Amino acid sequence: MKFPKVHSLEEIANLLNCEFIGDKNFEVFGMNEIHVVEPGDIVFVDHPKYYDKALQSAATIVLINKKVDCPEGKALLISDDPFRDFNTLTRHFKPFQATNVSISISLTVGEGTVIQPNCFIGNNVTIGKNCIIHSNVSIYDHTVIGDNVIIHAGTILGADAFYYKKRPDGFDQLLSGGRVVIEDNVGIGALCTIDKGVTGDTTIGAGTKLDNQVHVGHDTVIGKKCLIASQTGIAGCVIIEDEVTIWGQVGTTSGITIGAKAVIMGQTGVTKSVEGGKSYFGTPIEESREKLKQLANIKKIPEILNKLK
């Protein structure tokens, strides 16, 4: 997430009321999670296990809960609670904007697009040409939709990321300031839910088709011309490359990659990254031919036991 203008390190430190290490005029362009950071970004870290990863990442400003040696060419923001202060930045630079109308006047919509009754469309949404948005679709702020997109009834684009920190008195949510981006020629079935990124984009690539009741988690990137069948749940920060087929009731863990042209058979649990161009099945996931051989061998166990008697 990039800020509307460049800020100095001192300005950000004053906003957070925290100490800083580095040149007070060090330029700050935005903020992002660790997997999408770029030079000029702030990244936060609040556990020693991940200090090195954050300090060595592409981010040049690290919001951290301990004074450590500052890597050359970078700056530190010292906070007693980086999670809280990352939320402070999101509230400041991407505040929630209430609306009292069903379709915001800031909507940009292309020629030939049809929006059916009872839809909600939030602030600063862009919808391309020749789209059909069926009834009772909710499209949250800052969503971008390309041309020739069909979205069926009851689908929600842009809900918050499922991202929480456990506190003594409950769970503290990491606020979402990212977007959902739907590219051209995408089809989205009824009652799908696509969460926006925490700071970046959740993206559905051109030509991809989602069946009914598919969930896509925050910051996930789905490639071009994928097919994803009903009741599939895709966790946050997943990369699904081009032309992947995922059949019904598949679930994934977060932060994995599914390679191009892979086929994931129904009811598979994708517990790790998998190569493209192969078929997979089972939980934990394995190549489908191997898994089916294992299941066939299991059926032979009673016969083998009887022979051993």
Side-chain angles (χ1 to χ4, degrees):
M1 181 172 74
K2 299 304 179 187
F3 300 151
K5 66 174 187 176
V6 178
H7 289 266
S8 70
L9 180 67
E10 185 177 41
E11 286 174 328
I12 299 298
N14 288 339
L15 176 63
L16 299 177
N17 192 27
C18 72
E19 296 181 62
F20 65 89
I21 297 174
D23 182 349
K24 68 179 183 179
N25 296 314
F26 196 95
E27 293 185 327
V28 184
F29 293 88
M31 55 188 284
N32 267 313
E33 285 191 283
I34 189 71
H35 60 284
V36 289
V37 287
E38 300 174 342
D41 283 345
I42 300 169
V43 69
F44 87 92
V45 61
D46 57 4
H47 194 289
K49 181 179 177 181
Y50 302 109
Y51 284 173
D52 285 345
K53 184 176 181 181
L55 291 165
Q56 295 169 16
S57 71
T60 43
I61 306 95
V62 181
L63 177 61
I64 190 170
N65 58 345
K66 182 181 179 181
K67 287 186 178 180
V68 296
D69 292 335
C70 183
E72 187 177 352
K74 299 194 177 189
L76 303 180
L77 294 161
I78 311 300
S79 165
D80 63 331
D81 193 334
F83 189 100
R84 177 202 65 208
D85 284 344
F86 203 72
N87 275 346
T88 299
L89 293 174
T90 300
R91 286 193 189 94
H92 182 84
F93 290 105
K94 214 63 170 300
F96 173 72
Q97 295 177 271
T99 181
N100 58 1
V101 295
S102 296
I103 297 180
S104 171
I105 60 172
S106 60
L107 169 65
T108 301
V109 60
E111 182 180 358
T113 285
V114 175
I115 300 172
Q116 296 284 72
N118 298 323
C119 289
F120 170 79
I121 301 178
N123 301 295
N124 303 309
V125 170
T126 300
I127 304 175
K129 300 176 183 178
N130 302 315
C131 297
I132 301 175
I133 313 298
H134 286 280
S135 62
N136 300 307
V137 168
S138 292
I139 302 175
Y140 286 34
D141 294 2
H142 307 292
T143 297
V144 177
I145 298 172
D147 299 336
N148 308 309
V149 171
I150 299 174
I151 303 176
H152 286 278
T155 282
I156 299 170
L157 306 183
D160 285 344
F162 189 72
Y163 195 141
Y164 294 86
K165 182 179 181 67
K166 190 173 184 180
R167 304 285 197 185
D169 57 349
F171 293 98
D172 193 1
Q173 184 176 24
L174 187 64
L175 301 180
S176 298
R179 308 183 301 173
V180 170
V181 176
I182 309 296
E183 296 183 353
D184 296 346
N185 304 307
V186 168
I188 301 176
L191 300 174
C192 293
T193 53
I194 302 175
D195 292 346
K196 62 188 170 187
V198 171
T199 54
D201 295 337
T202 302
T203 304
I204 312 296
T208 284
K209 311 297 181 185
L210 274 59
D211 196 0
N212 304 324
Q213 297 179 317
V214 171
H215 172 73
V216 181
H218 70 91
D219 295 285
T220 281
V221 177
I222 298 177
K224 303 180 189 304
K225 295 189 288 184
C226 295
L227 289 173
I228 302 177
S230 178
Q231 298 182 5
T232 288
I234 300 167
C237 305
V238 171
I239 297 173
I240 298 175
E241 297 181 348
D242 296 346
E243 298 184 49
V244 168
T245 300
I246 300 178
W247 295 118
Q249 297 186 331
V250 167
T252 83
T253 191
S254 62
I256 61 166
T257 298
I258 300 175
K261 298 184 179 181
V263 176
I264 312 297
M265 297 175 69
Q267 296 190 328
T268 292
V270 188
T271 52
K272 61 183 179 181
S273 295
V274 294
E275 296 179 14
K278 298 179 180 180
S279 176
Y280 297 92
F281 176 61
T283 304
I285 190 170
E286 294 186 58
E287 285 192 53
S288 56
R289 284 188 298 179
E290 180 60 31
K291 195 71 172 183
L292 292 170
K293 284 179 186 177
Q294 291 175 13
L295 293 174
N297 288 334
I298 288 171
K299 288 182 178 181
K300 295 178 182 178
I301 289 175
E303 178 185 347
I304 293 169
L305 289 175
N306 285 332
K307 287 182 179 180
L308 291 174
K309 288 179 180 178

